[in-house]
Amino acid sequence: MNKSITGIIPGIILIIFLVIIIGIVSSNTNKSSSNYSVLKDYMSADNIKNTLSIITECEIKNYNIERDESLDTLDGENTIGFRLKSDNYNVVMYVKNGIVNSIRYADNDLYRNNTVLKKITEVK
């Protein structure tokens, strides 16, 4: 009887572990497709891919992109604003002509002029 119980416990632990991993992967996939949907009306697919890469380079994680019309033109003429929201921060991203113009957090430029200037982890 002891042999069957010791064989079941690792199996149960493995199943719980797999369920947790699948949950994490599917939540990240949902965020990614949701963020793509928000940006697709404002940028090409290649520019969206580039934008998501820039956001990753700034070390911004677990965020949802939301369009915020109140930010429009605050970073120059014809710029449109987005918020990158998470539980830990609220980052602002400006897009002009379908390309990221800047990414800002707490009055700091993380990205501007096609250059990552700071990572979000460097902002105090």
Side-chain angles (χ1 to χ4, degrees):
M1 186 107 184
N2 285 341
K3 288 184 180 181
S4 64
I5 290 175
T6 57
I8 292 173
I9 291 174
I12 291 172
I13 292 171
L14 179 63
I15 291 170
I16 291 170
F17 181 73
L18 289 174
V19 167
I20 290 169
I21 295 297
I22 290 169
I24 290 170
V25 169
S26 69
S27 71
N28 286 340
T29 302
N30 290 340
K31 282 185 180 179
S32 180
S33 64
S34 170
N35 290 334
Y36 185 90
S37 296
V38 171
L39 295 175
K40 71 179 174 118
D41 292 334
Y42 305 97
M43 334 178 133
S44 69
D46 286 340
N47 286 348
I48 292 172
K49 184 177 177 184
N50 187 44
T51 297
L52 298 176
S53 175
I54 292 167
I55 293 168
T56 300
E57 283 184 61
C58 292
E59 294 186 358
I60 301 168
K61 300 175 183 171
N62 299 321
Y63 60 90
N64 286 314
I65 299 176
E66 297 178 9
R67 175 77 169 93
D68 188 341
E69 293 179 11
S70 70
L71 298 171
D72 291 358
T73 69
L74 293 180
D75 194 45
E77 191 173 325
N78 298 322
T79 57
I80 54 176
F82 297 87
R83 292 196 185 272
L84 284 59
K85 291 187 171 186
S86 84
D87 293 336
N88 300 325
Y89 45 77
N90 186 356
V91 176
V92 176
M93 177 175 72
Y94 296 98
V95 172
K96 184 173 185 174
N97 299 324
I99 300 171
V100 176
N101 196 51
S102 67
I103 298 176
R104 296 183 49 78
Y105 173 67
D107 293 328
N108 291 277
D109 284 336
L110 302 179
Y111 177 85
R112 184 172 292 282
N113 298 326
N114 300 315
T115 306
V116 174
L117 304 170
K118 284 186 182 177
K119 295 176 168 84
I120 198 161
T121 53
E122 298 170 344
V123 178
K124 306 219 184 237

